[in-house]
């Protein structure tokens, strides 16, 4: 039993063992010397089965999978990102397997109605198909959940800013900065300081780091928010416990914007120039108007007598307009992310509390998000990585639950 718990804890990322998981012990005949990775692959232990503990019924999950299957077949529409996820190779294969098994089940049902002598044999085969369908549904739910929470962004910016708490807040901001630097080394990510505003006693008012690493945004986005610290500051003379806060912001780095314009996306009109310029300008269709259909961006040029030169100038204007639009979108998106993550930097706005007196770190977004061993945790590495993985799994599960509930509302 203890061994099964260790497997669940390490690979399943859940901390309670239901009868479903305990039954694995009897089926597997495992020994302590067994290879954990092989066991994980063989039995596909997943924490996603726990979504039924989040006010979701088996029926609502089935309805969602039926809907996703129909979206894949083109029988229903879906405005969420499920349609795009269904095009991923591994997901497509699972959906296609699901369709084949459902068709086989339907064929057996028809056979059982028409041929009573085949009923017993068909029943046995039907049980096999239904068990296979259940396994595929579990795999599909898992894969959809992972894809919903996936973010491939590899270049991010991490900002740390001292908040309420004065010098103590600045000192803890420096502690967080050290923790993240150790953690980045542990993850083997590349990073570089943009700025560090240090104080005379060793704290920081503000610091920014550029980070590059596989799935770096997916890994660090859960650090964004207000971090609260409770401890006796080194600046405190009477031994009082202070509560201070530091804000952490994570957002993708602005990309180098490439403006690719396909000829098929353009509508080019020519017309006669107006205004001063001589008889030739007003008598020939030298002016050019270009419409970029996907973005509905319109530019015109009638500065030159030559239609070819006007078209060339108009294309330059079009590229510039599209570039400015995309750049503004990036800047606005990052500004909104920053504003949302920083909050008002109040003590009651916190995602995580670092309590030094109790040697405890508590992440308030998780039911089981408490860790002990402050010194070890503040060095980054294994414990912080485990917490980030739990937060990612929790994030994936919530996304899946939201989309299932949304689908359930539509079917009512």
């Amino acid at each position: 039993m203890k061994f099964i718990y260790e497997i669940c804890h390490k690979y399943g990322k859940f901390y309670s063992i239901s009868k479903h998981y305990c039954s694995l012990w009897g089926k597997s005949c495992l020994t302590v010397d067994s290879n954990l990775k092989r066991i994980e692959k063989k039995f596909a232990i997943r924490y996603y089965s726990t979504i039924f503990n989040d006010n979701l019924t088996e029926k609502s999950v089935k309805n969602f999978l039926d809907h996703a299957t129909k979206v894949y077949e083109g029988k229903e529409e879906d405005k969420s990102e499920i349609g795009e996820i269904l095009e991923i190779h591994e997901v497509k294969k699972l959906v296609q397997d699901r369709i084949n098994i459902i068709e086989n089940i339907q064929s057996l049902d028809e056979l059982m109605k028409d041929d009573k002598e085949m009923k017993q044999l068909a029943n046995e085969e039907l049980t096999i198909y239904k068990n296979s369908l259940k396994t595929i549904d579990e795999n599909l739910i898992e894969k959809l959940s992972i894809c919903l929470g996936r973010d491939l962004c590899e270049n991010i910016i991490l900002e740390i800013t001292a908040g309420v708490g004065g010098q103590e807040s600045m000192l803890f901001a420096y502690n967080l900065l050290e923790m993240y630097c150790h953690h980045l080394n542990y993850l083997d990510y590349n990073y570089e300081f943009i700025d560090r505003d240090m104080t005379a006693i060793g704290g920081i008012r503000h610091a920014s780091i550029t980070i590059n690493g596989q799935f770096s945004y997916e890994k660090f986005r859960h650090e964004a928010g207000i971090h609260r610290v409770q401890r006796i500051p080194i600046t405190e003379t009477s031994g009082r416990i202070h509560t201070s806060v530091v804000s952490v912001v994570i957002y993708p780095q602005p990309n180098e914007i490439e403006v690719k314009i396909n000829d098929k996306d353009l509508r080019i009109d020519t017309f006669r120039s107006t205004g001063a310029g001589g008889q030739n300008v007003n008598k020939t269709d030298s002016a050019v108007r270009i419409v970029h259909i996907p973005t509905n961006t319109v530019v015109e040029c009638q500065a030159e007598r030559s239609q070819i030169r006007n078209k060339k100038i108009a294309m330059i204007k079009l590229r510039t307009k599209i570039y400015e639009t995309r750049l503004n979108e990036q800047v606005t998106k990052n500004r909104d992310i920053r504003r949302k993550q920083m909050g008002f930097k109040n003590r009651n706005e916190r995602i995580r509390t670092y309590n030094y007196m109790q040697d405890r770190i508590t992440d308030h977004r998780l039911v089981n998000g408490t860790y002990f061993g402050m010194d070890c945790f503040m060095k980054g590495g294994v414990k912080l990585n485990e917490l980030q993985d739990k937060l990612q799994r929790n994030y994936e599960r919530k996304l899946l639950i939201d989309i299932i509930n949304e689908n359930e509302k539509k079917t009512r």
Side-chain angles (χ1 to χ4, degrees):
M1 182 64 71
K2 182 180 178 182
F3 184 54
I4 288 294
Y5 176 82
E6 288 172 355
I7 298 170
C8 296
H9 174 84
K10 184 170 182 179
Y11 294 105
K13 307 298 182 189
F14 53 85
Y15 295 84
S16 60
I17 310 173
S18 65
K19 292 179 181 178
H20 173 73
Y21 299 113
C22 290
S23 65
L24 288 171
W25 177 262
K27 294 178 183 178
S28 60
C29 300
L30 302 176
T31 67
V32 178
D33 296 326
S34 300
N35 184 288
L36 285 177
K37 286 290 183 183
R38 180 178 60 80
I39 296 163
E40 175 196 15
K41 185 175 180 181
K42 185 176 180 181
F43 294 102
I45 299 173
R46 306 176 189 92
Y47 82 94
Y48 294 98
S49 301
T50 60
I51 61 171
F52 296 116
N53 297 330
D54 294 285
N55 298 322
L56 285 179
T57 63
E58 193 169 349
K59 182 182 177 182
S60 63
V61 175
K62 182 181 178 301
N63 288 341
F64 166 67
L65 291 176
D66 289 343
H67 167 68
T69 303
K70 288 176 183 176
V71 171
Y72 174 81
E73 294 177 301
K75 296 177 182 178
E76 291 183 6
E77 293 184 359
D78 192 297
K79 294 181 179 179
S80 71
E81 56 190 302
I82 285 295
E84 296 178 9
I85 292 173
L86 291 172
E87 293 302 313
I88 297 172
H89 174 71
E90 292 177 348
V91 179
K92 283 176 74 171
K93 187 178 183 306
L94 286 169
V95 175
Q96 193 58 57
D97 289 344
R98 188 175 195 270
I99 291 169
N100 293 337
I101 286 181
I102 290 172
E103 287 176 353
N104 289 334
I105 290 173
Q106 290 171 346
S107 298
L108 280 174
D109 284 338
E110 292 297 320
L111 181 65
M112 289 166 68
K113 289 178 183 177
D114 299 336
D115 193 339
K116 292 183 179 179
E117 294 180 2
M118 292 288 294
K119 191 172 182 179
Q120 184 176 354
L121 185 62
N123 265 327
E124 292 175 2
E125 196 169 348
L126 189 63
T127 301
I128 294 171
Y129 279 135
K130 285 183 177 180
N131 288 334
S132 297
L133 181 61
K134 185 177 180 181
T135 301
I136 287 173
D137 283 354
E138 287 177 358
N139 287 327
L140 188 53
I141 278 289
E142 176 181 353
K143 188 59 67 177
L144 288 172
S145 179
I146 291 171
C147 291
L148 280 167
R150 183 107 290 171
D151 195 298
L152 302 179
C153 178
E154 295 187 352
N155 298 292
I156 63 172
I157 294 174
L158 183 151
E159 287 186 358
I160 300 173
T161 307
V164 176
Q167 289 288 346
E168 167 61 3
S169 174
M170 297 176 196
L171 288 168
F172 184 63
Y174 181 75
N175 295 148
L176 283 183
L177 180 62
E178 279 192 316
M179 179 183 78
Y180 289 133
C181 288
H182 289 312
H183 195 55
L184 289 166
N185 290 329
Y186 168 80
L187 295 170
D188 200 24
Y189 284 1
N190 297 317
Y191 65 96
E192 188 176 336
F193 286 97
I194 302 174
D195 65 82
R196 274 180 292 186
D197 184 5
M198 302 290 294
T199 67
I201 62 171
I204 56 168
R205 298 180 184 88
H206 178 81
S208 300
I209 312 174
T210 62
I211 298 170
N212 172 262
Q214 190 176 32
F215 305 127
S216 59
Y217 185 63
E218 182 179 305
K219 195 77 175 171
F220 275 87
R221 61 182 163 193
H222 308 295
E223 298 302 309
I226 303 300
H227 294 244
R228 183 175 67 176
V229 60
Q230 295 173 325
R231 65 183 180 184
I232 301 171
I234 59 172
T235 55
E236 172 61 45
T237 56
S238 59
R240 290 182 302 143
I241 297 170
H242 286 224
T243 299
S244 306
V245 297
V246 172
S247 69
V248 175
V249 176
I250 309 288
Y251 51 85
Q253 288 186 43
N255 299 321
E256 291 185 11
I257 299 170
E258 288 188 33
V259 179
K260 292 182 180 180
I261 299 175
N262 297 320
D263 291 340
K264 64 180 182 179
D265 293 331
L266 300 178
R267 189 177 76 238
I268 302 174
D269 302 318
T270 58
F271 57 97
R272 292 187 181 183
S273 300
T274 58
Q279 292 181 348
N280 184 63
V281 172
N282 295 320
K283 286 184 177 179
T284 60
D285 291 340
S286 59
V288 175
R289 179 187 297 112
I290 302 178
V291 181
H292 186 244
I293 298 169
T295 60
N296 199 30
T297 305
V298 182
V299 293
E300 292 182 1
C301 184
Q302 53 181 342
E304 304 289 333
R305 292 187 178 187
S306 166
Q307 184 187 107
I308 294 173
R309 282 189 58 78
N310 280 333
K311 182 181 176 182
K312 187 176 181 179
I313 293 170
M315 284 299 295
I316 293 171
K317 290 171 69 176
L318 179 64
R319 287 179 185 280
T320 303
K321 261 192 161 183
I322 293 173
Y323 177 89
E324 287 178 350
T325 301
R326 291 180 182 173
L327 180 63
N328 288 333
E329 286 173 355
Q330 279 195 15
V331 171
T332 301
K333 180 182 177 182
N334 286 344
R335 186 169 57 237
D336 291 344
I337 289 172
R338 193 170 189 274
R339 186 184 298 117
K340 182 179 179 181
Q341 291 178 358
M342 285 189 73
F344 296 101
K345 292 187 279 189
N346 293 327
R347 292 184 178 90
N348 60 342
E349 295 179 327
R350 79 275 191 250
I351 61 164
R352 195 177 298 158
T353 296
Y354 304 76
N355 191 311
Y356 277 74
M357 293 75 61
Q358 298 178 11
D359 196 31
R360 169 176 56 82
I361 306 98
T362 302
D363 196 292
H364 303 286
R365 294 163 293 183
L366 297 171
V367 175
N368 192 8
T370 298
Y371 288 78
F372 293 93
M374 186 71 67
D375 288 343
C376 182
F377 190 91
M378 295 304 289
K379 291 177 182 176
V382 176
K383 282 197 172 184
L384 180 56
N385 195 56
E386 183 181 337
L387 176 56
Q388 288 175 333
D389 285 347
K390 283 178 68 177
L391 287 164
Q392 176 64 17
R393 301 289 85 79
N394 186 60
Y395 176 72
E396 291 169 1
R397 191 175 73 248
K398 283 185 176 179
L399 286 177
L400 181 66
I401 289 166
D402 286 345
I403 202 166
I404 291 174
N405 284 332
E406 192 63 33
N407 180 70
E408 195 67 14
K409 289 177 184 176
K410 292 177 183 177
T411 56
R412 287 173 185 168

